[in-house]
Every structure is written in C-alpha cells, then in structure tokens.
C-alpha cells in the first residue's frame, strides 16, 4: 500500500509569519493536532503541534493581563527541519519512521511541495485494513517451519475448503528462528473444519483454546 492511498490531501497550513494566536484558533476550530508551516512556494519549512502552541500560550491565570505572547510569529516555536515522505513511499516503511522517531504525523511532499499529510490515526486505520479486522471473519495462527514454499502449502488447505482468505500476517516464533507463525484471517464463521484440516496435515494450530507445548 502506498502513502498516496491513505494521506489526507486537504491540509491546513500556516506561513512562518503567522501568529501563535492564528495557530491556536485553527487548533480550536478543527480536529487536528499538527499544522505544517509552508513558504510561498508550498515548501514545508516547519511544523507545529497543539502542544507547541499551548505551551507558548499564556496560562489561564494570566487571562486578565494583556499578553504579547500570542502575537509572536509561529516561526519562533515551529520544529525544523521536518522529516517528510513521498506519495509513492510504502506505508509499511513509513510506519517504521513513526515508531523510531516517535512522530504523530509526517507531511507528504512531491517535487518539494506539500501535497498531503499522514497522521498516526491514519496509520492505525491502515493497520486495521491490512490485518482484515474491519470485516467479519475468523482467525487462526499456525506454527510452521521457516522454509520456502510453506505459505502456499498451508493456504492450499483453505483453498480446498473454498474459504476466502482476507489477510495473512507472518511473524517470527519467539526466539526460535527455525519456525514462524502464519496468521490467517478468513471469511467463515466456523473455523473448526479448517482447524481440523490443518491439524490433520501435521501443522500446529495456536490460539486461546490450543495449548502450545513449547510454553
């Protein structure tokens, strides 16, 4: 899946000369947490978060005093440089950026111009789609040897039952690199026949009702 498939293209922005008051107003009026800061050519030169803006705003105990803080330019509190991604980047790759850099959003640029934004909420929703948990289905986890060709072998068991697989995830089996776990989500409300077929074929099915002898 590509970034351009999940990014929001209607992005609220400000220029570096905008005031903190303007940013505060935008954050209060719209359900967003970040505002990209762009120049006259739509190039991203910074970014501010709701926390940046509120930290720079006067305390509620100072409301009786006229404060110049909100009249300061957004340039004084924006974060720069800004990590950006391209519309044709893979979503799975930018997920690592979110995790490693602890970002809550990343601007999307094409030819050095802002064209969209991806937030952590967008990433979470995409994960739901990729795992297939957004559709009614059953799930089974199968412990298999880590060797070439194992996935189509196991998937063929589902095919013989004419069961549609909605998603497959693969992850290592604990610390034993000789095995991995295949997580199948498939469209049937009764997974017991598939489970029986998998066991009959010699595969170990894991789950809340299946005891793992290695535990």
């Amino acid at each position: 899946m590509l970034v351009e498939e999940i990014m929001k293209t209607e992005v609220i922005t400000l220029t570096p000369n905008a005031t903190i008051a303007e940013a505060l107003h935008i954050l209060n009026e719209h359900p967003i947490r970040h505002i990209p800061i762009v120049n006259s050519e739509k190039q991203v030169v910074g970014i501010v978060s709701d926390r940046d803006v509120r930290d720079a705003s006067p305390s509620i105990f100072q409301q009786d005093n006229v404060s110049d803080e909100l009249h300061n330019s957004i340039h004084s509190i924006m974060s720069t440089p800004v990590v950006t991604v391209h519309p044709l980047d893979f979503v799975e790759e930018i997920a690592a950026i979110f995790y490693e850099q602890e970002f809550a959003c990343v601007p999307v640029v094409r030819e050095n111009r802002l064209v969209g934004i991806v937030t952590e909420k967008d990433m979470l929703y995409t994960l739901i789609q990729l795992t297939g948990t957004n559709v009614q289905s059953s799930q089974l986890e199968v412990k298999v040897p880590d060797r070439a060709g194992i996935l189509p072998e196991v998937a063929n068991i589902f095919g013989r039952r004419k069961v549609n697989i909605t998603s497959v995830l693969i992850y290592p089996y604990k610390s034993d690199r000789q095995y991995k776990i295949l997580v199948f989500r498939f469209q049937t409300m009764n997974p017991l026949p598939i489970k029986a077929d998998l066991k009959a074929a010699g595969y170990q099915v894991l789950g809340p009702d299946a005891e793992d002898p290695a535990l």
Side-chain angles (χ1 to χ4, degrees):
M1 183 175 288
L2 301 177
V3 169
E4 66 180 2
E5 298 178 57
I6 71 167
M7 70 182 188
K8 291 182 174 66
T9 56
E10 295 183 4
V11 187
I12 298 175
T13 63
L14 286 173
T15 64
N17 294 327
T19 64
I20 296 174
E22 292 177 73
L24 184 60
H25 176 74
I26 288 174
L27 292 170
N28 288 335
E29 292 294 318
H30 300 275
I32 61 174
R33 295 174 53 197
H34 295 82
I35 305 174
I37 310 303
V38 299
N39 60 21
S40 59
E41 298 179 350
K42 285 292 183 178
Q43 297 172 331
V44 180
V45 295
I47 193 167
V48 294
S49 68
D50 54 350
R51 182 174 180 177
D52 296 330
V53 173
R54 291 187 171 94
D55 284 350
S57 303
S59 165
I60 59 173
F61 300 107
Q62 299 175 317
Q63 295 302 309
D64 292 336
N65 299 324
V66 177
S67 174
D68 291 331
E69 296 175 16
L70 292 179
H71 298 298
N72 291 333
S73 71
I74 206 73
H75 180 271
S76 63
I77 65 169
M78 70 182 189
S79 298
T80 187
V82 182
V83 174
T84 62
V85 297
H86 190 274
L88 298 183
D89 286 341
F90 288 107
V91 170
E92 296 87 342
E93 294 176 351
I94 71 166
I97 296 177
F98 275 80
Y99 174 75
E100 294 169 2
Q101 303 294 333
E102 298 184 356
F103 289 157
C105 80
V106 287
V108 184
V109 300
R110 178 187 282 118
E111 296 179 354
N112 209 26
R113 292 169 59 88
L114 180 70
V115 294
I117 194 168
V118 176
T119 68
E120 57 186 354
K121 185 176 180 179
D122 298 327
M123 292 297 302
L124 183 58
Y125 179 68
T126 301
L127 176 62
I128 292 173
Q129 289 183 302
L130 291 175
T131 56
T133 54
N134 59 324
V135 297
Q136 193 173 34
S137 57
S138 298
Q139 177 176 311
L140 286 175
E141 297 189 2
V142 187
K143 178 184 175 183
V144 298
D146 186 9
R147 61 174 173 80
I150 191 65
L151 177 57
E153 287 179 20
V154 179
N156 186 50
I157 295 176
F158 291 80
R160 290 200 294 266
R161 286 278 180 179
K162 305 299 182 183
V163 172
N164 185 36
I165 298 173
T166 58
S167 71
V168 181
L169 296 178
I170 304 174
Y171 63 89
Y173 176 71
K174 301 178 180 177
S175 58
D176 192 341
R177 294 184 177 274
Q178 295 184 9
Y179 295 92
K180 57 187 174 183
I181 303 299
L182 305 181
V183 184
F184 290 92
R185 188 167 286 274
F186 48 100
Q187 290 181 324
T188 179
M189 296 308 297
N190 181 15
L192 296 181
I194 291 290
K195 188 174 182 179
D197 290 350
L198 289 167
K199 289 184 175 182
Y203 298 111
Q204 183 177 346
V205 181
L206 306 180
D209 59 343
E211 183 176 353
D212 183 356
L215 293 177

